[in-house]
């Protein structure tokens, strides 16, 4: 019987390179480099995305040159076309054939221009596609003017004359100087009209409404006592209201007379332009916002114009279905809503975290509550919007109207979406984030500090207020930062509880009670949605979507940086106590 001869072979010793690689791999360095690479790629992608948004959005405000060319499509008469080249793209021949476009030559692709031709009141559309092969004699005339109007978009043409009450006062080379002088006058008059209509007459209308509500409240008092409401007309209080109304009528009449005079002055002047079609058209200065000659402007002049347009974008109101003008009401509404949300969510979140960490008995019920809080952070935001609409607006707001605003009914005061309900809805949405962050901060405070405070004779409430909460404030600010970052970008719930396409009045003004929590407001996130998907003029709205998105990111960054600065200050202040 033969037995197998088994020999124990030892593994070959590792080389120095293999040993070095094994030691390097076991040290965890590859994972450090992998994480660093992932973070670097993420940062590059974020910066690239922001750069793309900034270029496409902010580049819209640079005054582009206006091209003039002879447009000669097949089997059609030649005509002059004038406008800004917005986009150049390659179009395949198959795409052109499917669209029914005939080309003289047969190539794989053709270049196509997207021109902003303006003059929507005469042409019907201010953006047109033209094939490059159909354009000839392309040039950039120095005398072309672009007029931004309050209605019908931009006007492109050549200035022929300036008129005053139908009589020509300047033409030829002298027309441009006279045009600028009268445009400045018209803009000053328009500003006076807006100030009177929006502020002075707005304040008078606000006082009219308060008087109407005071009268109605007086009538309701007689109804509640079972008396005839007509008896309210004989009371001294009603007579005083009528006397105030008489004085208010005189103020309104004076303002109305001022408006009539200003409208007569602003409608005095007009100008005549020659369009690309050769047609001469007369326009009122009252509808003009600004005018410029882009082909005759120097780089320095274009830079000044660019700064002026940027300032208008962040400081003015929108016009032309939100595709022109500024977005200041949306900026104001976003910041105001976030500030109110932070004021509302912080005390509730801190109190809830204090109870769960410091007072509640740690058991299955407390653990269940924590699980529920964590799960609330994952609930879709639209669910919060539905809850806010049903509970805050219809139930709570309706009850408030029944108790305190009976005189205004059936028109709702708080029983309709508004700033307060939007802020409360987002406060509930971000409440789990604040609770979790605050509770983690409370858990990091050493127990010895609590015991030392109690040993010195402080009560538990004094210990929490003077020792624990100040040291946990950086964690509270962390939760608030996360809440701000989420709340500022939310759109879906706001569509149900307060945000609108266009708000005629800001929530904060000079009328008592100054801060109007019942008013609807504009929001940057909803503005992006509205301009990008609901605008009737898609091409005009596209650059504003990018610009508004970039501005929304900047607003969120500024709010977060302010909170981060406060958190870092608090962290440095209480760092010594932690050790």
């Amino acid at each position: 019987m033969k037995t197998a001869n088994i020999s124990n072979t030892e593994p070959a010793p590792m080389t120095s390179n293999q040993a070095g690689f094994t030691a390097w791999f076991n040290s965890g360095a590859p994972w450090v480099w992998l994480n660093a690479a992932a973070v670097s790629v993420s940062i590059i992608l974020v910066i690239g995305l922001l750069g793309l948004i900034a270029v496409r959005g902010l580049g819209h405000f640079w005054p582009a040159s206006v091209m003039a060319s002879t447009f000669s499509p097949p089997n059609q008469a030649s005509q002059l076309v004038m406008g800004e080249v917005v986009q150049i793209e390659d179009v395949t021949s198959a795409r052109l054939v499917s669209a029914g476009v005939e080309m003289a030559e047969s190539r794989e692709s053709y270049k196509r221009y997207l021109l902003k031709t303006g003059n929507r009141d005469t042409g019907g559309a201010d953006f047109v596609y033209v094939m490059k092969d159909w354009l000839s004699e392309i040039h950039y005339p120095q005398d072309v003017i672009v007029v931004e109007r309050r209605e019908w978009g931009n006007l492109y043409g050549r200035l022929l004359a300036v008129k005053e009450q139908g009589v020509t006062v300047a033409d030829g080379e002298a027309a441009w100087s006279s045009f600028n002088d009268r445009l400045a006058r018209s803009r000053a008059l328009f500003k006076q009209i807006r100030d009177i209509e929006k502020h002075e007459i707005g304040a008078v209308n606000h006082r009219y409404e308060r008087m109407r509500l005071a009268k109605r409240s007086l009538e309701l008092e007689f109804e509640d006592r079972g008396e005839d409401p007509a008896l309210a007309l004989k009371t001294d209080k009603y007579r005083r209201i009528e006397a105030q109304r008489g004085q208010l009528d005189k103020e309104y009449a004076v303002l109305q007379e001022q408006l009539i005079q200003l409208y007569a002055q602003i409608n005095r002047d007009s100008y005549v332009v020659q369009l690309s079609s050769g047609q001469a058209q007369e326009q009122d200065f009252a509808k003009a916002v600004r005018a410029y000659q882009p082909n005759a402007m120097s780089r320095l002049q274009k830079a000044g114009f660019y700064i002026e347009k940027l300032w208008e974008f962040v400081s003015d109101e929108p016009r032309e279905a939100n595709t022109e003008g500024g977005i200041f009401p949306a900026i104001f509404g976003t910041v105001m809503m976030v500030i109110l949300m932070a004021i509302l969510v912080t005390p509730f979140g801190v109190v809830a975290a204090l109870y769960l960490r410091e007072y509640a008995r740690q058991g299955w019920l407390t653990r269940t509550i924590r699980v529920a809080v964590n799960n609330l952070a994952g609930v879709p935001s639209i669910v919060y919007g539905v809850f806010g609409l049903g509970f805050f607006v219809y139930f709570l707001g309706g009850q408030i109207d029944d108790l305190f605003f009976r005189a205004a009914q059936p028109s709702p005061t708080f029983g309709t979406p508004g700033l307060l309900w939007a802020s409360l809805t987002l406060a509930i949405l971000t409440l789990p984030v604040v609770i979790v962050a605050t509770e983690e901060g409370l858990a990091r405070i050493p127990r010895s500090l609590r015991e030392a405070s109690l040993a010195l004779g402080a009560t538990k409430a004094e210990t929490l207020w003077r020792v624990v909460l100040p040291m946990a404030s950086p964690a509270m600010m962390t939760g608030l930062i996360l809440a701000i970052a989420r709340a500022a970008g939310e759109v879906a719930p706001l569509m149900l509880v307060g945000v609108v396409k266009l708000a005629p009045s800001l929530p904060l003004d000079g009328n008592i009670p100054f801060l109007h929590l019942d008013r609807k407001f504009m929001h940057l996130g909803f503005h992006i949605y509205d301009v990008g998907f609901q605008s009737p003029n898609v091409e005009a709205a596209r650059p504003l979507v990018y610009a508004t998105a970039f501005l929304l990111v900047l607003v969120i960054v500024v709010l977060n940086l302010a909170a981060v600065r406060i958190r870092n200050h608090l962290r440095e202040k209480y760092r010594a106590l932690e050790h």
Side-chain angles (χ1 to χ4, degrees), residues 439-452:
E439 196 173 358
E440 290 177 356
L442 293 171
R444 287 197 300 266
I445 304 228
R447 186 177 181 82
S448 58
L449 289 176
R450 293 178 173 85
E451 294 174 349

Side-chain angles (χ1 to χ4, degrees), residues 291-536:
Y292 57 100
Q293 294 178 319
N295 297 341
M297 295 171 69
S298 64
R299 285 282 180 180
L300 185 60
Q301 290 173 326
K302 288 187 176 183
F305 179 89
Y306 181 76
I307 294 173
E308 180 184 352
K309 286 285 290 182
L310 275 181
W311 175 248
E312 179 195 54
F313 181 65
V314 299
S315 64
D316 206 353
E317 297 178 354
R319 60 177 189 273
E320 288 283 325
N322 290 345
T323 60
E324 297 288 346
I327 57 171
F328 175 74
I331 299 173
F332 187 89
T334 303
V335 174
M336 178 66 68
M337 183 207 64
V338 170
I339 292 175
L340 286 176
M341 181 275 303
I343 294 173
L344 293 169
V345 74
T346 301
F348 286 106
V350 171
V351 169
L354 273 175
Y355 175 78
L356 290 175
R357 175 58 57 177
E358 304 292 337
Y359 290 97
R361 179 177 298 175
Q362 303 303 313
W364 68 269
L365 181 59
T366 306
R367 289 194 298 270
T368 303
I369 293 175
R370 287 197 177 95
V371 171
V373 168
N374 291 327
N375 288 337
L376 281 175
V379 174
S381 59
I382 189 65
V383 176
Y384 287 98
V386 174
F387 171 80
L389 180 65
F391 179 74
F392 290 137
V393 177
Y394 292 151
F395 176 73
L396 190 58
Q399 295 295 323
I400 292 175
D401 284 352
D402 291 339
L403 291 174
F404 303 104
F405 298 98
R406 291 175 58 201
Q409 292 181 340
S411 298
T413 302
F414 281 94
T416 185
L419 178 62
L420 176 62
W421 306 135
S423 302
L424 273 173
T425 301
L426 289 187
I428 293 179
L429 186 148
T430 56
L431 184 61
V433 178
V434 178
I435 292 175
V436 172
T438 304
E439 196 173 358
E440 290 177 356
L442 293 171
R444 287 197 300 266
I445 304 228
R447 186 177 181 82
S448 58
L449 289 176
R450 293 178 173 85
E451 294 174 349
S453 177
L454 294 172
L456 292 173
T459 62
K460 185 172 183 177
E462 290 174 337
T463 300
L464 291 175
W465 182 255
R466 297 181 179 274
V467 178
V468 176
L469 277 180
M471 295 185 64
S473 55
M476 294 158 48
M477 291 303 303
T478 300
L480 186 58
I481 291 168
L482 296 175
I484 289 174
R486 183 177 182 187
E490 285 291 348
V491 177
L494 299 180
M495 296 170 66
L496 301 176
V497 292
V499 72
V500 291
K501 174 187 178 73
L502 182 63
S505 301
L506 295 178
L508 185 67
D509 59 23
N511 298 323
I512 297 173
F514 308 116
L515 179 60
H516 305 273
L517 298 177
D518 58 312
R519 285 184 182 173
K520 295 176 176 60
F521 65 102
M522 297 181 67
H523 187 271
L524 285 172
F526 182 77
H527 189 80
I528 294 171
Y529 163 77
D530 176 70
V531 173
F533 298 98
Q534 304 294 320
S535 174

